[in-house]
Amino acid sequence: MEALINFFVALHIIGIGALLGGFMTQMKAMGAGEARIVPAMLHGALTMLVTGVLLVGFNEMDDQAVNNVKIAVKLAVLVVILVLVYVKRDEEKVPAPLFGTVGLLTIANILIATMW
């Protein structure tokens, strides 16, 4: 079970990397008002959602302690990110404040995961 959990942790990290990497590649464009949601951001958020839910299930099955409040907060932040990314994915330009919110929420999710 440990190998399976570690595999999905790796996939979860790849998902956050895709989401944050997609944001970072558009930061220069955000300054010019031309940022857009790239497919990597949507795919990364979806990967995080699926692997995160699976990780909670695997940890519960393995009788490991799960902080349900932390998971609920992370899930809520991720759902907001996912909704913003999904709704704005086809727009040529995304307003800088909205795009910045996606990046800020992504970083907040990372901080919650590592510091809580």
Side-chain angles (χ1 to χ4, degrees):
M1 183 64 85
E2 186 178 338
L4 188 62
I5 290 172
N6 289 336
F7 175 74
F8 280 99
V9 167
L11 287 179
H12 196 69
I13 292 170
I14 290 169
I16 194 73
L19 178 58
L20 187 61
F23 172 78
M24 296 295 250
T25 61
Q26 293 293 306
M27 283 189 67
K28 187 174 181 181
M30 182 176 69
E34 298 179 359
R36 61 186 306 266
I37 302 295
V38 294
M41 294 172 74
L42 177 62
H43 297 149
L46 287 170
T47 299
M48 286 178 60
L49 178 65
V50 171
T51 58
V53 169
L54 288 172
L55 281 168
V56 170
F58 290 148
N59 281 306
E60 288 282 343
M61 285 191 304
D62 201 28
D63 289 329
Q64 295 184 25
V66 175
N67 185 341
N68 290 320
V69 175
K70 175 182 174 179
I71 298 302
V73 171
K74 284 183 53 57
L75 180 62
V77 171
L78 182 58
V79 166
V80 171
I81 293 169
L82 195 52
V83 166
L84 290 174
V85 169
Y86 186 78
V87 168
K88 298 293 185 178
R89 74 187 187 284
D90 290 331
E91 292 188 14
E92 281 295 317
K93 296 179 185 177
V94 177
L98 188 134
F99 193 78
T101 300
V102 171
L104 188 63
L105 289 173
T106 301
I107 292 169
N109 217 356
I110 294 168
L111 293 175
I112 292 166
T114 57
M115 301 181 106
W116 183 337

Short mmCIF file of all heavy atoms in Angstrom, two decimals, residues 22-58:
data_model
loop_
_atom_site.label_atom_id
_atom_site.label_comp_id
_atom_site.label_asym_id
_atom_site.label_seq_id
_atom_site.Cartn_x
_atom_site.Cartn_y
_atom_site.Cartn_z
N GLY A 22 2.07 26.35 -15.36
CA GLY A 22 1.23 27.05 -16.34
C GLY A 22 1.02 28.50 -15.94
O GLY A 22 1.04 29.40 -16.78
N PHE A 23 0.82 28.72 -14.65
CA PHE A 23 0.67 30.09 -14.15
C PHE A 23 1.96 30.88 -14.37
O PHE A 23 1.93 32.01 -14.86
CB PHE A 23 0.28 30.09 -12.67
CG PHE A 23 0.29 31.45 -12.05
CD1 PHE A 23 -0.76 32.34 -12.28
CD2 PHE A 23 1.35 31.87 -11.27
CE1 PHE A 23 -0.75 33.61 -11.72
CE2 PHE A 23 1.36 33.14 -10.72
CZ PHE A 23 0.31 34.00 -10.94
N MET A 24 3.08 30.28 -14.00
CA MET A 24 4.37 31.00 -14.09
C MET A 24 4.71 31.36 -15.54
O MET A 24 5.29 32.42 -15.77
CB MET A 24 5.48 30.15 -13.48
CG MET A 24 5.31 29.90 -12.01
SD MET A 24 5.42 31.38 -11.05
CE MET A 24 6.95 31.10 -10.25
N THR A 25 4.36 30.50 -16.49
CA THR A 25 4.68 30.80 -17.89
C THR A 25 3.87 31.98 -18.41
O THR A 25 4.27 32.60 -19.40
CB THR A 25 4.43 29.59 -18.81
OG1 THR A 25 3.06 29.23 -18.76
CG2 THR A 25 5.31 28.42 -18.43
N GLN A 26 2.78 32.31 -17.75
CA GLN A 26 1.92 33.40 -18.20
C GLN A 26 2.11 34.69 -17.39
O GLN A 26 1.40 35.67 -17.61
CB GLN A 26 0.46 32.97 -18.12
CG GLN A 26 0.09 31.88 -19.10
CD GLN A 26 0.15 32.38 -20.52
OE1 GLN A 26 -0.47 33.38 -20.87
NE2 GLN A 26 0.92 31.71 -21.35
N MET A 27 3.05 34.70 -16.44
CA MET A 27 3.21 35.88 -15.60
C MET A 27 3.62 37.12 -16.39
O MET A 27 3.13 38.22 -16.13
CB MET A 27 4.20 35.61 -14.47
CG MET A 27 3.57 34.79 -13.36
SD MET A 27 4.59 34.64 -11.92
CE MET A 27 4.63 36.30 -11.32
N LYS A 28 4.51 36.96 -17.35
CA LYS A 28 4.93 38.10 -18.17
C LYS A 28 3.74 38.61 -18.98
O LYS A 28 3.52 39.82 -19.08
CB LYS A 28 6.07 37.70 -19.09
CG LYS A 28 6.66 38.84 -19.85
CD LYS A 28 7.89 38.40 -20.63
CE LYS A 28 8.51 39.55 -21.38
NZ LYS A 28 9.68 39.13 -22.15
N ALA A 29 2.96 37.70 -19.52
CA ALA A 29 1.76 38.08 -20.28
C ALA A 29 0.73 38.73 -19.36
O ALA A 29 0.01 39.63 -19.77
CB ALA A 29 1.16 36.86 -20.96
N MET A 30 0.67 38.31 -18.09
CA MET A 30 -0.26 38.91 -17.14
C MET A 30 0.08 40.38 -16.94
O MET A 30 -0.81 41.23 -16.87
CB MET A 30 -0.22 38.18 -15.80
CG MET A 30 -1.19 38.72 -14.77
SD MET A 30 -1.24 37.80 -13.22
CE MET A 30 0.35 38.17 -12.53
N GLY A 31 1.38 40.69 -16.87
CA GLY A 31 1.80 42.08 -16.73
C GLY A 31 1.38 42.93 -17.92
O GLY A 31 1.10 44.12 -17.77
N ALA A 32 1.29 42.32 -19.10
CA ALA A 32 0.88 43.03 -20.31
C ALA A 32 -0.63 42.96 -20.52
O ALA A 32 -1.14 43.49 -21.50
CB ALA A 32 1.61 42.45 -21.52
N GLY A 33 -1.34 42.29 -19.63
CA GLY A 33 -2.79 42.16 -19.77
C GLY A 33 -3.23 41.14 -20.79
O GLY A 33 -4.35 41.19 -21.29
N GLU A 34 -2.35 40.21 -21.13
CA GLU A 34 -2.66 39.22 -22.18
C GLU A 34 -2.56 37.79 -21.68
O GLU A 34 -2.42 36.85 -22.48
CB GLU A 34 -1.71 39.42 -23.36
CG GLU A 34 -1.87 40.77 -24.02
CD GLU A 34 -0.91 40.98 -25.17
OE1 GLU A 34 -0.10 40.07 -25.44
OE2 GLU A 34 -0.97 42.04 -25.78
N ALA A 35 -2.65 37.58 -20.39
CA ALA A 35 -2.55 36.22 -19.83
C ALA A 35 -3.76 35.40 -20.25
O ALA A 35 -4.86 35.92 -20.43
CB ALA A 35 -2.45 36.29 -18.32
N ARG A 36 -3.53 34.11 -20.38
CA ARG A 36 -4.61 33.19 -20.69
C ARG A 36 -4.40 31.91 -19.90
O ARG A 36 -3.30 31.62 -19.45
CB ARG A 36 -4.70 32.91 -22.19
CG ARG A 36 -3.48 32.28 -22.80
CD ARG A 36 -3.57 32.14 -24.32
NE ARG A 36 -4.76 31.44 -24.73
CZ ARG A 36 -4.81 30.13 -24.96
NH1 ARG A 36 -3.74 29.40 -24.81
NH2 ARG A 36 -5.94 29.57 -25.33
N ILE A 37 -5.46 31.18 -19.74
CA ILE A 37 -5.40 29.90 -19.05
C ILE A 37 -4.88 28.87 -20.03
O ILE A 37 -5.50 28.62 -21.07
CB ILE A 37 -6.79 29.48 -18.52
CG1 ILE A 37 -7.36 30.54 -17.57
CG2 ILE A 37 -6.74 28.11 -17.87
CD1 ILE A 37 -6.61 30.73 -16.29
N VAL A 38 -3.73 28.28 -19.73
CA VAL A 38 -3.15 27.27 -20.63
C VAL A 38 -3.68 25.89 -20.22
O VAL A 38 -4.07 25.68 -19.07
CB VAL A 38 -1.61 27.32 -20.60
CG1 VAL A 38 -1.10 28.63 -21.17
CG2 VAL A 38 -1.07 27.11 -19.21
N PRO A 39 -3.72 24.95 -21.17
CA PRO A 39 -4.25 23.62 -20.86
C PRO A 39 -3.57 22.94 -19.68
O PRO A 39 -4.21 22.18 -18.94
CB PRO A 39 -4.04 22.83 -22.15
CG PRO A 39 -4.05 23.88 -23.23
CD PRO A 39 -3.42 25.09 -22.60
N ALA A 40 -2.28 23.19 -19.49
CA ALA A 40 -1.57 22.56 -18.36
C ALA A 40 -2.20 22.93 -17.03
O ALA A 40 -2.19 22.13 -16.09
CB ALA A 40 -0.10 22.97 -18.38
N MET A 41 -2.75 24.12 -16.92
CA MET A 41 -3.36 24.56 -15.67
C MET A 41 -4.62 23.74 -15.38
O MET A 41 -4.83 23.29 -14.25
CB MET A 41 -3.67 26.05 -15.73
CG MET A 41 -2.42 26.91 -15.80
SD MET A 41 -2.77 28.65 -16.09
CE MET A 41 -3.39 29.12 -14.49
N LEU A 42 -5.44 23.54 -16.38
CA LEU A 42 -6.66 22.74 -16.21
C LEU A 42 -6.30 21.28 -15.92
O LEU A 42 -6.83 20.68 -14.98
CB LEU A 42 -7.55 22.83 -17.44
CG LEU A 42 -8.82 21.97 -17.41
CD1 LEU A 42 -9.73 22.38 -16.27
CD2 LEU A 42 -9.55 22.06 -18.75
N HIS A 43 -5.38 20.73 -16.68
CA HIS A 43 -5.01 19.34 -16.48
C HIS A 43 -4.33 19.12 -15.13
O HIS A 43 -4.55 18.10 -14.47
CB HIS A 43 -4.10 18.87 -17.62
CG HIS A 43 -4.78 18.91 -18.95
ND1 HIS A 43 -4.10 19.15 -20.11
CD2 HIS A 43 -6.08 18.78 -19.30
CE1 HIS A 43 -4.95 19.15 -21.12
NE2 HIS A 43 -6.16 18.93 -20.65
N GLY A 44 -3.52 20.09 -14.71
CA GLY A 44 -2.87 19.99 -13.40
C GLY A 44 -3.89 20.02 -12.28
O GLY A 44 -3.80 19.25 -11.32
N ALA A 45 -4.87 20.93 -12.37
CA ALA A 45 -5.90 21.01 -11.33
C ALA A 45 -6.73 19.74 -11.28
O ALA A 45 -7.05 19.24 -10.19
CB ALA A 45 -6.80 22.23 -11.58
N LEU A 46 -7.09 19.20 -12.43
CA LEU A 46 -7.85 17.94 -12.46
C LEU A 46 -7.03 16.78 -11.89
O LEU A 46 -7.56 15.95 -11.15
CB LEU A 46 -8.31 17.63 -13.88
CG LEU A 46 -9.43 18.51 -14.43
CD1 LEU A 46 -9.63 18.25 -15.91
CD2 LEU A 46 -10.72 18.28 -13.66
N THR A 47 -5.75 16.75 -12.23
CA THR A 47 -4.87 15.71 -11.70
C THR A 47 -4.79 15.81 -10.18
O THR A 47 -4.85 14.80 -9.47
CB THR A 47 -3.46 15.83 -12.31
OG1 THR A 47 -3.55 15.67 -13.73
CG2 THR A 47 -2.50 14.80 -11.73
N MET A 48 -4.68 17.03 -9.68
CA MET A 48 -4.63 17.22 -8.22
C MET A 48 -5.91 16.75 -7.56
O MET A 48 -5.88 16.13 -6.50
CB MET A 48 -4.40 18.70 -7.90
CG MET A 48 -3.00 19.19 -8.15
SD MET A 48 -2.87 20.94 -7.78
CE MET A 48 -3.32 20.97 -6.06
N LEU A 49 -7.04 17.06 -8.17
CA LEU A 49 -8.33 16.66 -7.59
C LEU A 49 -8.45 15.14 -7.51
O LEU A 49 -8.74 14.59 -6.45
CB LEU A 49 -9.49 17.25 -8.41
CG LEU A 49 -10.89 16.87 -7.93
CD1 LEU A 49 -11.15 17.46 -6.56
CD2 LEU A 49 -11.92 17.33 -8.93
N VAL A 50 -8.18 14.47 -8.62
CA VAL A 50 -8.33 13.02 -8.66
C VAL A 50 -7.34 12.34 -7.72
O VAL A 50 -7.70 11.49 -6.91
CB VAL A 50 -8.18 12.50 -10.11
CG1 VAL A 50 -8.11 10.99 -10.15
CG2 VAL A 50 -9.33 13.01 -10.97
N THR A 51 -6.06 12.73 -7.81
CA THR A 51 -5.06 12.08 -6.96
C THR A 51 -5.26 12.42 -5.49
O THR A 51 -5.02 11.58 -4.62
CB THR A 51 -3.63 12.45 -7.41
OG1 THR A 51 -3.46 13.87 -7.36
CG2 THR A 51 -3.34 11.92 -8.79
N GLY A 52 -5.71 13.64 -5.20
CA GLY A 52 -5.95 14.01 -3.81
C GLY A 52 -7.06 13.19 -3.18
O GLY A 52 -6.92 12.70 -2.05
N VAL A 53 -8.13 13.01 -3.91
CA VAL A 53 -9.24 12.20 -3.40
C VAL A 53 -8.78 10.74 -3.22
O VAL A 53 -9.09 10.10 -2.20
CB VAL A 53 -10.46 12.28 -4.34
CG1 VAL A 53 -11.51 11.26 -3.98
CG2 VAL A 53 -11.06 13.69 -4.30
N LEU A 54 -8.04 10.24 -4.18
CA LEU A 54 -7.53 8.87 -4.06
C LEU A 54 -6.57 8.73 -2.87
O LEU A 54 -6.60 7.72 -2.16
CB LEU A 54 -6.84 8.44 -5.36
CG LEU A 54 -7.76 8.16 -6.54
CD1 LEU A 54 -6.95 7.93 -7.80
CD2 LEU A 54 -8.67 6.98 -6.25
N LEU A 55 -5.73 9.74 -2.66
CA LEU A 55 -4.79 9.68 -1.55
C LEU A 55 -5.50 9.63 -0.20
O LEU A 55 -5.10 8.89 0.70
CB LEU A 55 -3.83 10.87 -1.59
CG LEU A 55 -2.69 10.75 -2.57
CD1 LEU A 55 -1.98 12.09 -2.75
CD2 LEU A 55 -1.71 9.68 -2.12
N VAL A 56 -6.56 10.42 -0.06
CA VAL A 56 -7.33 10.38 1.18
C VAL A 56 -7.92 8.98 1.37
O VAL A 56 -7.83 8.40 2.46
CB VAL A 56 -8.45 11.45 1.18
CG1 VAL A 56 -9.39 11.25 2.36
CG2 VAL A 56 -7.84 12.84 1.23
N GLY A 57 -8.48 8.42 0.33
CA GLY A 57 -9.04 7.07 0.41
C GLY A 57 -8.00 6.02 0.74
O GLY A 57 -8.23 5.16 1.61
N PHE A 58 -6.84 6.08 0.08
CA PHE A 58 -5.79 5.10 0.34
C PHE A 58 -5.26 5.22 1.77
O PHE A 58 -5.00 4.22 2.42
CB PHE A 58 -4.63 5.26 -0.66
CG PHE A 58 -4.98 4.85 -2.06
CD1 PHE A 58 -4.38 5.48 -3.13
CD2 PHE A 58 -5.89 3.84 -2.32
CE1 PHE A 58 -4.68 5.11 -4.44
CE2 PHE A 58 -6.20 3.46 -3.61
CZ PHE A 58 -5.59 4.09 -4.67
#
